Amino acid sequence: MPDWTITPGLTPYPEALAAMESRVDAIVAGEADELVWLLEHPPLYTAGTSADPADLLEPERFPVFPTRRGGEYTYHGPGQRVAYAMLDLNRRGRDIRTYVHDLEEWAIRTVGDFGVTAERRAGRVGVWVARPDKPPLPDGSPAEDKIAAIGVRVRRWVAFHGIAVNVEPDLSHFGGIVPCGISGYGVTSLVDLGLPVTMDDLDVALRRSFDDVFGEAPPPA
């Protein structure tokens, strides 16, 4: 199984990115095992390779970090568990679409441990929760909020970045961007849904769900 690390406090984004890059290089070279790294960041926005500058609504609100992961603008901050998964797809199957599906499944099963029904939506990145307690959207469709974000980059078939699950972040901080370029929908968290979940609770669920979804990678060929 991959190594697991939990870093307390708030980890600056450039520091985390440099550490991920270094670990991925070591995995590619056969010098390190896979790693799942759980942490929190201070309030910040990241811009993926498809980010539209028009979706950065408040560019002065928090630091903005370009990143070469796929996707658009994403918020990270206290109360959000970021799970960086550095996994060797050479051993797990060289199929990025399947890998992204598995990341979504990891998030879905994790929040499902707390009784939350989360789902994928075609054309909308991330993991979504129906909100029947909210007014429907202007087109009449039911309201839905995002509870987890997905971001992936792959280097020589070693994947990194991963998922971010909202436990108890300040949801107003998402207002400085159009999250993942998807307008018209809200953002929620486990605590916002009325669930008294702690970060430690979530970490236990993340570990259990990871084992269920990904299992152990076959040994190197």
Side-chain angles (χ1 to χ4, degrees):
M1 298 299 292
D3 296 336
W4 281 73
T5 298
I6 301 175
T7 299
L10 302 179
T11 303
Y13 187 78
E15 178 182 311
L17 187 59
M20 266 201 297
E21 298 264 3
S22 177
R23 182 66 174 235
V24 167
D25 286 344
I27 295 171
V28 168
E31 298 170 352
D33 292 330
E34 298 177 314
L35 173 65
V36 178
W37 184 16
L38 307 183
L39 52 78
E40 293 174 80
H41 287 305
L44 59 91
Y45 300 128
T46 64
T49 55
S50 302
D52 181 346
D55 289 339
L56 182 59
L57 306 178
E58 299 180 26
E60 306 301 324
R61 187 169 187 179
F62 297 125
V64 181
F65 296 96
T67 176
R68 287 177 284 180
R69 62 155 175 80
E72 304 187 40
Y73 285 105
T74 300
Y75 168 77
H76 294 309
Q80 181 192 70
R81 176 55 91 206
V82 177
Y84 287 134
M86 288 149 266
L87 303 182
D88 188 355
L89 302 188
N90 291 292
R91 299 164 58 192
R92 295 178 176 273
R94 293 185 175 187
D95 187 329
I96 295 174
R97 186 183 298 273
T98 295
Y99 178 64
V100 170
H101 183 277
D102 288 345
L103 287 176
E104 293 169 339
E105 187 67 21
W106 184 21
I108 287 168
R109 293 194 187 196
T110 295
V111 300
D113 269 14
F114 307 102
V116 174
T117 299
E119 299 174 304
R120 303 171 182 85
R121 286 291 180 263
R124 277 193 266 139
V125 178
V127 173
W128 299 82
V129 176
R131 298 302 304 269
D133 54 317
K134 289 188 172 184
L137 299 177
D139 65 1
S141 59
E144 294 184 330
D145 289 345
K146 178 184 281 190
I147 196 167
I150 312 290
V152 175
R153 187 177 171 206
V154 177
R155 177 188 298 161
R156 295 183 63 182
W157 291 106
V158 175
F160 53 121
H161 296 277
I163 67 174
V165 181
N166 297 331
V167 179
E168 193 179 7
D170 184 335
L171 296 179
S172 72
H173 289 180
F174 288 87
I177 58 172
V178 177
C180 299
I182 302 169
S183 60
Y185 295 89
V187 181
T188 191
S189 69
L190 291 167
V191 171
D192 180 55
L193 294 172
L195 301 167
V197 177
T198 68
M199 201 64 75
D200 288 344
D201 294 334
L202 188 84
D203 291 346
V204 171
L206 280 167
R207 182 63 181 265
R208 178 168 51 243
S209 299
F210 181 93
D211 291 347
D212 289 344
V213 173
F214 291 98
E216 186 167 359

